[in-house]
Amino acid sequence: MKNILTLLLLISINHVFAQTTSSGTVSQTIKDPVASVAGSSGGKLAATIFKAAKKIDVKGIDTSAAVTSYTIYFQGKGFETAPGMLDNIKGNLFTKDVARLLARCVPGTTVTIDDIKVLSGDVIKKVPSLHFILQ
């Protein structure tokens, strides 16, 4: 009896984390959306590429997923006297206020995008933060 219950539990778990494709085969585990800027989810990135991006993108199974809000922090080079921070920015675009701070970015600036909220399906999900060191 214990083996049957274990088997049923494993089947249930597998069903929750698997998605059936239209051909009837089981696909990979469903993944939560992931945010990126200029195709990067963090690390070293050229300042010119970061500035040119002008928005936060979302990748994931749900192709209609969209950023609803975020907070952005600037510090380090170009922000020695006063770090920059803008919170609860609506949408995925870099607003005029973000652009004003982006203009101060140079190699050595660190940028953190935090509290990223994404609408995926009918659910708002918080996705992992992005941390960039501009080159």
Side-chain angles (χ1 to χ4, degrees), residues 53-94:
K54 301 187 189 275
K55 65 179 181 169
I56 302 170
D57 294 311
V58 179
K59 298 176 189 172
I61 299 293
D62 178 5
T63 56
S64 67
V67 173
T68 61
S69 64
Y70 65 95
T71 296
I72 191 164
Y73 303 89
F74 299 87
Q75 61 186 13
K77 200 139 189 184
F79 294 86
E80 296 87 355
T81 57
M85 185 202 84
L86 298 168
D87 65 341
N88 201 29
I89 300 166
K90 303 297 183 201
N92 72 324
L93 298 177
F94 291 160

Side-chain angles (χ1 to χ4, degrees), residues 19-27:
Q19 179 178 354
T20 305
T21 64
S22 59
S23 65
T25 60
V26 175
S27 69

Side-chain angles (χ1 to χ4, degrees), residues 25-55:
T25 60
V26 175
S27 69
Q28 296 286 339
T29 301
I30 298 172
K31 295 185 179 181
D32 285 332
V34 176
S36 65
V37 174
S40 177
S41 290
K44 295 179 180 180
L45 187 63
T48 54
I49 292 173
F50 190 88
K51 290 177 182 183
K54 301 187 189 275
K55 65 179 181 169

Side-chain angles (χ1 to χ4, degrees), residues 75-115:
Q75 61 186 13
K77 200 139 189 184
F79 294 86
E80 296 87 355
T81 57
M85 185 202 84
L86 298 168
D87 65 341
N88 201 29
I89 300 166
K90 303 297 183 201
N92 72 324
L93 298 177
F94 291 160
T95 63
K96 289 179 184 178
D97 290 333
V98 173
R100 183 178 42 80
L101 293 173
L102 280 172
R104 293 173 45 193
C105 290
V106 295
T109 302
T110 60
V111 181
T112 301
I113 304 173
D114 193 21
D115 200 25

Side-chain angles (χ1 to χ4, degrees), residues 120-134:
S120 181
D122 291 333
V123 178
I124 293 181
K125 300 177 179 183
K126 192 170 174 185
V127 299
S129 300
L130 306 175
H131 183 76
F132 297 94
I133 301 169
L134 303 183

